[in-house]
């Protein structure tokens, strides 16, 4: 019995810390606040990471809680304005931008990718199939996960990730299976998608994202590379052994796939837009963005898309779609992992609930814990 007391005390201290840093912009829902604090506490204890942030939206109300430290040993507790790299959640932002172009008729899902790429790209066919926009956005491109790179350094590992390197990567036969016949997680596919989105709009992908997503939603702290004034509020990632990993530059060619830094406050704004209703153009964009475009059935292979706590049932524009099951509503999710950060976002659009969670250390068990707790929170707040 005496051995259990320190554990209980420690748990209470963690919970007390969460209450102190909890911030709920605009929230009038004490149940949401309590649910987020409790879920975050369990997720943090289970993750083993130095720090954790969790933010949620339900019916337009928001809640946030931060735990631990932004950098191991710093003593700085994460806040709703802490900035972190969200890695492949950037793909869901990219799908958001693509939905805008689709709604405006600037691009088509079945357009050949070649049509919108810069000069120099030659995209070969595979198995008699042409690589299309929908193949990139739904992870059915048949392209490998990564592009082979050269010229990187520990502090700038993506220095070799250039447009010229991408042109070279698409020569000969880069496909592992014909486009549209299977699903395989591919960062290279979304690197190409970012270039195609920019080509369709006649301006760089970053400019389209700013005009159609970030600026309209007031997301002033979502950037591809931290600004000098952001240095003091960065959440640093840590490797599997707990050692800190450096902040590395994001090349233009990786912006769509994995480049974004953001804050919990900005994620609440982004999730809130996805759960809202109203505005003819916005509703059209949401309908396109949340659609199940490619079903898993019939795809061979279907690899690398089941890390959201349940098998993928369909793919949307960067979203992994998990169908309704029993008392669980349909959920769209996206995970991310880069430079010592594991991140996860999930939304239940039919129930007006969404959750974002992140930890700052690579850990398979920690990632599984935050996904489980985030999904559990959605299912508790948004039963069918």
């Amino acid at each position: 019995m005496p051995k259990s007391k320190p554990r209980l005390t420690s748990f209470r201290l963690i919970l007390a810390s969460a209450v102190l840093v909890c911030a709920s912009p605009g929230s009038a829902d004490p149940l949401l606040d309590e649910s987020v604090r409790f879920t975050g506490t369990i997720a943090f204890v289970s993750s083993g990471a130095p720090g954790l942030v969790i933010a949620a939206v339900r019916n337009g109300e928001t809640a946030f809680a931060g735990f631990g430290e932004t950098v191991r040993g710093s003593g700085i507790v994460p806040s709703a304005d802490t900035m972190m790299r969200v890695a492949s959640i950037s793909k869901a932002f990219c799908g958001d931008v693509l939905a805008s172009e689709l709604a405006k008729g600037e691009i088509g899902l079945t357009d050949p990718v070649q049509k919108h790429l810069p000069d120099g790209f030659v995209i070969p066919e595979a198995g008699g199939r042409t690589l299309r926009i929908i193949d990139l956005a739904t992870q059915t491109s048949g392209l490998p996960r990564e592009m082979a790179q050269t010229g990187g350094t520990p502090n700038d590992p993506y220095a070799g990730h250039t447009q010229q390197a991408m042109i070279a990567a698409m020569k000969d036969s880069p496909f592992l299976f014909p486009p549209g016949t299977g699903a395989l997680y591919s960062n290279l596919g979304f690197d190409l998608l970012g270039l195609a989105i920019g080509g369709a709009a006649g301006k760089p992908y970053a400019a389209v994202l700013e005009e159609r997503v970030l600026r309209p939603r007031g997301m002033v702290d979502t950037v591809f590379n931290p600004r000098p004034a952001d240095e003091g509020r960065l959440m640093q990632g840590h490797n599997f052994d707990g050692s800190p990993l450096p902040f590395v530059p994001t090349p233009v060619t990786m912006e769509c796939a994995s480049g974004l830094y953001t804050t919990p406050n900005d994620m609440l704004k982004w999730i809130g837009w996805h759960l809202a209703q109203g505005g003819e153009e916005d509703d059209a964009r949401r309908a396109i963005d949340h659609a199940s475009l490619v079903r898993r059935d019939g795809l061979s292979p279907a690899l690398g898309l089941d890390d959201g706590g349940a098998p993928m049932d369909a793919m949307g524009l960067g979203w992994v779609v998990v169908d309704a099951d029993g008392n669980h509503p349909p959920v769209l999710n996206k995970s991310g992992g880069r430079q010592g950060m594991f991140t996860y976002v999930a939304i239940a659009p039919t129930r007006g609930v969404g959750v974002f969670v992140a930890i700052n250390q690579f850990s398979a068990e920690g990632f599984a814990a935050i996904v489980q707790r985030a999904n559990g929170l959605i299912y508790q707040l948004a039963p069918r």
Side-chain angles (χ1 to χ4, degrees), residues 14-192:
I14 292 169
L15 182 56
S17 173
V19 172
L20 287 173
V21 302
C22 179
S24 302
S27 177
D29 187 345
L31 175 60
L32 181 61
D33 286 335
E34 179 66 22
S35 300
V36 167
R37 285 197 298 269
F38 182 77
T39 299
T41 299
I42 303 301
F44 177 55
V45 172
S46 303
S47 73
L52 176 147
V53 297
I54 182 169
V57 179
R58 184 177 77 154
N59 297 331
E61 303 294 343
T62 63
F64 165 81
F67 304 81
E69 302 173 300
T70 56
V71 182
R72 190 185 299 278
S74 69
I76 301 173
V77 182
S79 77
D81 291 316
T82 294
M83 183 175 285
M84 65 209 65
R85 189 167 195 160
V86 292
S88 285
I89 287 179
S90 303
K91 294 180 174 67
F93 278 77
C94 197
D96 196 340
V97 179
L98 177 58
S100 171
E101 291 191 337
L102 289 165
K104 290 178 178 291
E106 298 167 336
I107 198 170
L109 279 175
T110 57
D111 284 358
V113 174
Q114 178 80 60
K115 176 181 177 181
H116 301 291
L117 290 178
D119 292 341
F121 278 91
V122 177
I123 308 298
E125 290 189 347
R129 289 176 173 260
T130 298
L131 183 64
R132 305 165 299 168
I133 295 297
I134 189 173
D135 302 324
L136 298 180
T138 61
Q139 297 287 18
T140 56
S141 67
L143 293 170
R145 183 181 180 93
E146 304 288 353
M147 177 183 71
Q149 297 178 51
T150 59
T153 67
N155 288 325
D156 192 2
Y158 311 118
H161 200 295
T162 65
Q163 187 169 302
Q164 288 304 311
M166 292 174 66
I167 289 173
M170 295 308 297
K171 289 182 178 178
D172 301 323
S173 181
F175 297 100
L176 302 178
F177 51 83
T181 64
L184 176 69
Y185 196 91
S186 175
N187 286 316
L188 175 57
F190 271 77
D191 295 333
L192 285 173

Side-chain angles (χ1 to χ4, degrees), residues 257-274:
S258 59
L260 283 175
Y261 285 77
T262 190
T263 65
N265 267 338
D266 269 12
M267 284 299 297
L268 286 171
K269 295 172 184 176
W270 187 72
I271 292 170
W273 180 89
H274 280 276

